[in-house]
Amino acid sequence: MYSKWRERLRHTLGFRLALWYAVIFVVSSLALTGLTYVLVAASLRQYDREIIGTALVQYANAYQVGGVAALREEIQRTQATAAPGPMLVRTVGARQVVTFLSRPSEWPEFDLSRLEVPSPDGQQTWSTLDTGGDGFELEVASVRLRDGTLFQVGMSSERRAQLLQRFRRVLLIDLLSLIVVGLAGGAILTSSALQPLRRLADTVRSILHTGRTDARVATQNTGDALDELSSLVNAMLNRIDAVLAGMRGALDNVAHDLRTPMTRLRGIAETALNSSDPTVLRDALADCLDESDQVIEMLNTLMDISEAETGTMRLHREPTDLDDLIRRSVELYEDLAEERGVEIRTNVPSNLVVELDRNRMRQVLANLIDNSVKYTLAGGVVEIAAHRDNGDATVTVSDTGVGIPADELPRIWDRLYRGDKSRSSRGLGLGLSLVKAIVAAHGGKVSVRSRPGEGSTFELRLPVEVPRANLSAM
């Protein structure tokens, strides 16, 4: 069981992120600690050499002024002040005869013959002798004086080694602390960073278990990638909700409104079955065809509305001259308008071009013109106008018809709604719903102004140009 838990932990994203963070943090700390140690060791070595060099100059001057006696006196004076510490001082005269040697008694024996002999130009040379296994070294500076005497001053690295040893202990403690901080910090930061993903997983899991798509991922408005992912998931869920709501609405409407035509179809069929008159049978078949055509039209319109409202309607946008589009739409209703004694006027500039789906927008205009002609009395006027307003194109369809009561205006966009004055005429009650859905799918808006007895004005506002990203997504 423990091995399974360990294997599961090793494959979790949080553990891997925390481990990577800790490894990077520890490796960086090791590199910084090592660099610090090297710099400190180099600085201490340089400091020791500066002390040796200063002592060499000081003792050599004393020797040149007063000989061995003055040199011995200078050494005693400096040792009395405990600075710069125990040192080796040696002078070698002609024929390699040691004329003076001062060294601490506690130091081990050194093979001083291995020291590098300086050149006669007065330049210092440096030599290092191993003490023989105790880890310390003897650093010696040598110089040739003007009288030919070899003057040497040296100092053990024992004090520096002890200081570095204590420094290593401190660095080791600091490094262990950094490792603990790195592991704890990695776990805390990883847990905090993965919190949005956990909320996302909980939301998706809730949707899978309950089947309800109204759950949403909580966002923090931080603007980072994970918060953006949460916002995109919420937008996707909103889109799914809209699609499902559209499907449910369409199914409910279809189920409700199929009852009437299906009842009529059943009544016509029963009448035909009870009659043997060929004329009655022929009329019954014709009535059945009319009813079935109306059912098909209603279904197609409901599907178009649902697609437009849920954003799944495919729009084939292209630059379209509104003057040509409106003129062709008006031509379809000229005969009907003439028959009803209604005049149709247009007022559209010839250079107003809009990116839209020509066929879908023709449906919009056809529904609005049809309603205006249908509810305008003889002698009335229907006017279709268009103009450019900043970045939008505005199209208005006005009539001098019967108008719409104020209490019905908010409901005329609902599916299958038919006002009192329209119940006597044949129709599905879907025209204005389709108009609003198609205009919204184009990124536009539709509104209406009306007073009973004075007529109505429907206004469409459509964007003249659509961003390229929107075009590529359609």
Side-chain angles (χ1 to χ4, degrees), residues 180-203:
V180 174
V181 171
L183 292 173
I188 294 173
L189 290 178
T190 301
S191 176
S192 176
L194 293 180
Q195 192 63 32
L197 290 180
R198 294 192 182 96
R199 290 196 296 266
L200 175 60
D202 292 341
T203 301

Side-chain angles (χ1 to χ4, degrees), residues 261-433:
M262 295 304 294
T263 301
R264 285 199 295 266
L265 281 173
R266 181 180 179 85
I268 294 171
E270 289 178 347
T271 300
L273 288 174
N274 294 328
S275 175
S276 59
D277 187 353
T279 303
V280 174
L281 295 176
R282 187 179 298 105
D283 291 341
L285 289 175
D287 290 340
C288 287
L289 288 176
D290 289 341
E291 293 295 336
S292 63
D293 288 341
Q294 187 173 1
V295 170
I296 293 173
E297 181 183 358
M298 181 181 66
L299 292 175
N300 290 336
T301 305
L302 284 172
M303 292 304 298
D304 287 343
I305 294 174
S306 297
E307 289 180 359
E309 289 180 344
T310 57
T312 58
M313 175 179 282
R314 300 291 298 182
L315 297 179
H316 303 284
R317 294 179 183 265
E318 58 181 338
T320 302
D321 185 358
L322 280 184
D323 180 37
D324 178 70
L325 180 63
I326 292 174
R327 180 172 51 80
R328 291 177 180 273
S329 299
V330 168
E331 288 177 356
L332 298 176
Y333 292 91
E334 285 180 343
D335 293 339
L336 177 61
E338 183 178 356
E339 180 182 337
R340 297 179 61 88
V342 176
E343 180 184 0
I344 300 180
R345 302 173 183 171
T346 59
N347 183 15
V348 183
S350 58
N351 58 348
L352 185 54
V353 178
V354 182
E355 290 185 356
L356 48 80
D357 187 317
R358 178 184 295 268
N359 292 329
R360 292 297 183 182
M361 197 53 59
R362 186 180 289 118
Q363 284 181 276
V364 170
L365 293 173
N367 274 287
L368 294 178
I369 296 173
D370 180 75
N371 285 341
S372 295
V373 172
K374 187 184 301 181
Y375 297 109
T376 299
L377 301 178
V381 177
V382 175
E383 182 176 4
I384 301 95
H387 65 277
R388 183 165 186 153
D389 184 7
N390 294 327
D392 294 334
T394 301
V395 179
T396 58
V397 180
S398 305
D399 63 62
T400 58
V402 296
I404 305 172
D407 59 333
E408 294 185 5
L409 283 176
R411 303 180 59 191
I412 62 174
W413 310 108
D414 296 342
R415 300 179 189 179
L416 304 168
Y417 175 76
R418 304 186 69 192
D420 292 336
K421 295 181 180 180
S422 63
R423 295 187 185 277
S424 59
S425 61
R426 185 179 181 86
L428 301 174
L430 294 172
L432 293 180
S433 298

Side-chain angles (χ1 to χ4, degrees), residues 63-105:
Y63 177 79
Q64 289 177 328
V65 171
V68 173
L71 174 60
R72 183 177 290 109
E73 182 181 349
E74 182 67 21
I75 293 174
Q76 291 174 352
R77 186 183 66 80
T78 55
Q79 288 179 349
T81 61
M87 302 190 76
L88 166 72
V89 181
R90 190 176 77 140
T91 60
V92 180
R95 300 179 182 178
Q96 300 298 314
V97 177
V98 178
T99 57
F100 180 83
L101 177 62
S102 173
R103 58 186 296 275
S105 59

Side-chain angles (χ1 to χ4, degrees), residues 128-192:
T128 302
L129 296 179
D130 191 0
T131 59
D134 55 5
F136 304 140
E137 295 177 337
L138 178 65
E139 288 189 280
V140 180
S142 304
V143 67
R144 182 76 67 178
L145 303 181
R146 287 191 296 270
D147 61 359
T149 300
L150 175 62
F151 203 93
Q152 297 174 321
V153 176
M155 186 171 67
S156 173
S157 64
E158 179 179 2
R159 185 177 60 177
R160 185 174 77 231
Q162 292 173 348
L163 181 61
L164 288 175
Q165 185 178 15
R166 291 195 294 271
F167 186 64
R168 284 195 297 270
R169 292 196 188 102
V170 174
L171 287 181
L172 180 60
I173 295 174
D174 290 342
L175 182 60
L176 292 176
S177 301
L178 288 174
I179 292 175
V180 174
V181 171
L183 292 173
I188 294 173
L189 290 178
T190 301
S191 176
S192 176

